[in-house]
Amino acid sequence: MSLKIAVLPGDGIGPEIVNESLKVLEVLNQTFGLDATWKEATIGGAGFEAEKDPYPASTQSLVKASDAVLLGAVGGPQWEALDKPLRPEAGLLRIREDLGLYANYRPTKVFDQLLDASTLKPEVVQGVDILVVRELVSGIYFGQPRGYEEFEGERSGFNTMRYRESEVRRIARKAFEAARLRDNKVCSVEKANVLEVSELWREVVTEVHQAEYSDVELSHMYVDNAAMQLIRNPKQFDVIVTGNLFGDILSDEASMLTGSIGMLPSASIGEEFAMYEPIHGSAPDIAGENKANPLATILSAAMMLRFSLNRADLAEKVELAVENTLDAGVRTVDLADGEAFVTCSEMGDAVCEALRKLS
Ligand code: IPM
Ligand code: MG
């Protein structure tokens, strides 16, 4: 039976970068014995334009009937003035919640070929290999109550950062499991010196560690210190596990160790469903110009092959093809540092070519 992929290109550069990943999957189908088919649906601003809904019902049923979801990016200035529930970002938060994608894996790996692209010294970033495991469907993004109210005679806005112990336990397990396949180290990040929600987080992570994963090295760090340590000495980290908001911030910070956010893939995984997407946004300023870097999306497709389609062998081939393409000096403009560069589709072609050579 063929593997079914729901493809959600989304907005901005989304369609361009997704298209390059589909070229790669096509090569795998033709040459490497993958048997995958895909169907496209809208999300974000594209969903709003098509059906007045950033997560349309037709998309909901498609993703639930698929083995995996591949997403481009959502958002753009033309939708910023809409009511919050109609905005592209609301579609993204809803699909995460609807599919129960509580574990968000954001690997930050510094490619030797791109060492000079980082704003940090090469000796600080060379060899960095961090996995941020971000809780994705709870915390302050979803906590109730939230809203606006008049408070002591003036306007006020408020949100609630709440974690249940079951939510902390399941994400902690995912982080420890991931660490066992890597350097066996987990750093749990919170703000337990100030927040009750973080005290609970620390307590539960410690319990899970003692009961099930005492072979893994566990440390705890306050989020402000973690933000500083990521720049000071990023090589101290292996797996970082943290809540939704802190993970949002720290994963963007970690991504810049590599020099380009255009390189970083992600996986969002729940008990039943999984979604793969680059961690960068929809880059409306360069949309439609064939300039974007498709490598983060191609590497997201590799994560999909590994975690959802049970084809780690093909994931490795795709990752090797990307490395070989970089070794050959092929660069999109974000990586070019003033030197010659190729278009988005040329980069996709180069990876396909490198992949064919591995057959
Ligand atoms: C991310 C993004 C989203 C988030 C936005 C677009 C809602 O920043 O995936 O990191 O905050 O989770
Ligand atoms: Mg973010």
Side-chain angles (χ1 to χ4, degrees):
M1 258 228 323
S2 356
L3 300 161
K4 293 195 292 257
I5 305 169
V7 174
L8 313 180
D11 309 323
I13 58 171
E16 299 160 55
I17 55 180
V18 161
N19 195 41
E20 299 314 309
S21 315
L22 296 179
K23 277 165 41 183
V24 168
L25 291 174
E26 197 65 68
V27 173
L28 295 176
N29 269 345
Q30 282 164 10
T31 318
F32 291 89
L34 177 68
D35 181 12
T37 58
W38 44 87
K39 282 197 183 130
E40 288 196 16
T42 60
I43 189 150
F48 176 78
E49 296 306 328
E51 319 200 24
K52 293 277 168 287
D53 184 348
Y55 181 38
S58 52
T59 301
Q60 297 174 29
S61 42
L62 178 70
V63 295
K64 287 179 188 157
S66 303
D67 296 303
V69 182
L70 184 66
L71 183 131
V74 301
Q78 63 269 55
W79 302 293
E80 265 164 27
L82 291 171
D83 281 349
K84 195 135 126 282
L86 295 176
R87 278 185 227 152
E89 293 75 14
L92 187 59
L93 296 178
R94 275 171 58 208
I95 191 171
R96 288 174 180 171
E97 189 181 29
D98 188 36
L99 300 184
L101 308 176
Y102 66 87
N104 180 219
Y105 298 86
R106 296 188 166 186
T108 287
K109 200 169 163 174
V110 171
F111 287 81
D112 274 342
Q113 299 91 334
L114 303 177
L115 266 186
D116 290 336
S118 179
T119 49
L120 297 187
K121 293 191 187 120
E123 61 269 27
V124 174
V125 293
Q126 182 167 34
V128 161
D129 184 353
I130 301 171
L131 177 67
V132 177
V133 179
R134 169 190 177 193
E135 197 292 323
L136 202 60
V137 296
S138 182
I140 197 166
Y141 273 54
F142 292 92
Q144 295 291 344
R146 62 190 294 165
Y148 295 96
E149 70 186 11
E150 182 144 317
F151 183 72
E152 295 179 351
E154 57 183 334
R155 291 177 301 160
S156 77
F158 58 96
N159 293 83
T160 301
M161 193 188 284
R162 177 192 300 277
Y163 272 110
R164 300 165 184 250
E165 56 177 321
S166 56
E167 292 169 335
V168 180
R169 209 172 284 125
R170 67 183 183 179
I171 194 74
R173 288 200 176 107
K174 294 296 179 195
F176 289 125
E177 297 286 344
R180 278 183 176 162
L181 302 174
R182 301 167 44 97
D183 278 351
N184 217 32
K185 276 178 16 185
V186 170
C187 178
S188 170
V189 172
E190 24 66 359
K191 188 73 185 170
N193 50 344
V194 178
L195 306 175
E196 284 77 3
V197 59
S198 289
E199 276 178 347
L200 177 89
W201 178 283
R202 187 179 283 221
E203 231 172 84
V204 175
V205 170
T206 304
E207 286 163 14
V208 172
H209 177 246
Q210 278 168 2
E212 300 167 49
Y213 299 96
S214 52
D215 56 303
V216 180
E217 192 186 313
L218 172 65
S219 60
H220 304 274
M221 210 180 265
Y222 300 140
V223 61
D224 49 348
N225 186 27
M228 184 269 275
Q229 295 294 341
L230 267 175
I231 302 298
R232 193 187 71 85
N233 175 21
K235 275 180 244 181
Q236 69 186 284
F237 295 106
D238 178 27
V239 173
I240 292 177
V241 65
T242 190
N244 207 341
L245 179 63
F246 299 155
D248 179 46
I249 298 166
L250 293 180
S251 62
D252 264 33
E253 186 189 357
S255 77
M256 273 322 285
L257 301 171
T258 69
S260 175
I261 197 168
M263 294 297 299
L264 298 183
S266 80
S268 305
I269 299 182
E271 300 303 343
E272 242 185 302
F273 300 105
M275 181 163 91
Y276 300 83
E277 60 180 305
I279 84 156
H280 60 71
S282 59
D285 52 319
I286 57 164
E289 293 182 22
N290 200 15
K291 269 191 192 163
N293 180 353
L295 293 179
T297 318
I298 290 172
L299 292 169
S300 299
M303 290 184 92
M304 173 174 80
L305 288 160
R306 179 174 289 119
F307 296 126
S308 286
L309 307 183
N310 209 11
R311 293 303 302 261
D313 58 326
L314 298 185
E316 274 164 30
K317 294 237 191 274
V318 172
E319 286 159 357
L320 186 57
V322 167
E323 293 240 17
N324 290 347
T325 305
L326 292 174
D327 279 337
V330 183
R331 301 283 185 270
T332 40
V333 62
D334 55 312
L335 306 173
D337 203 18
E339 308 276 309
F341 56 86
V342 301
T343 63
C344 177
S345 52
E346 284 166 345
M347 179 59 99
D349 290 340
V351 174
C352 289
E353 200 42 54
L355 191 54
R356 281 194 203 94
K357 286 197 187 136
L358 297 174
S359 70

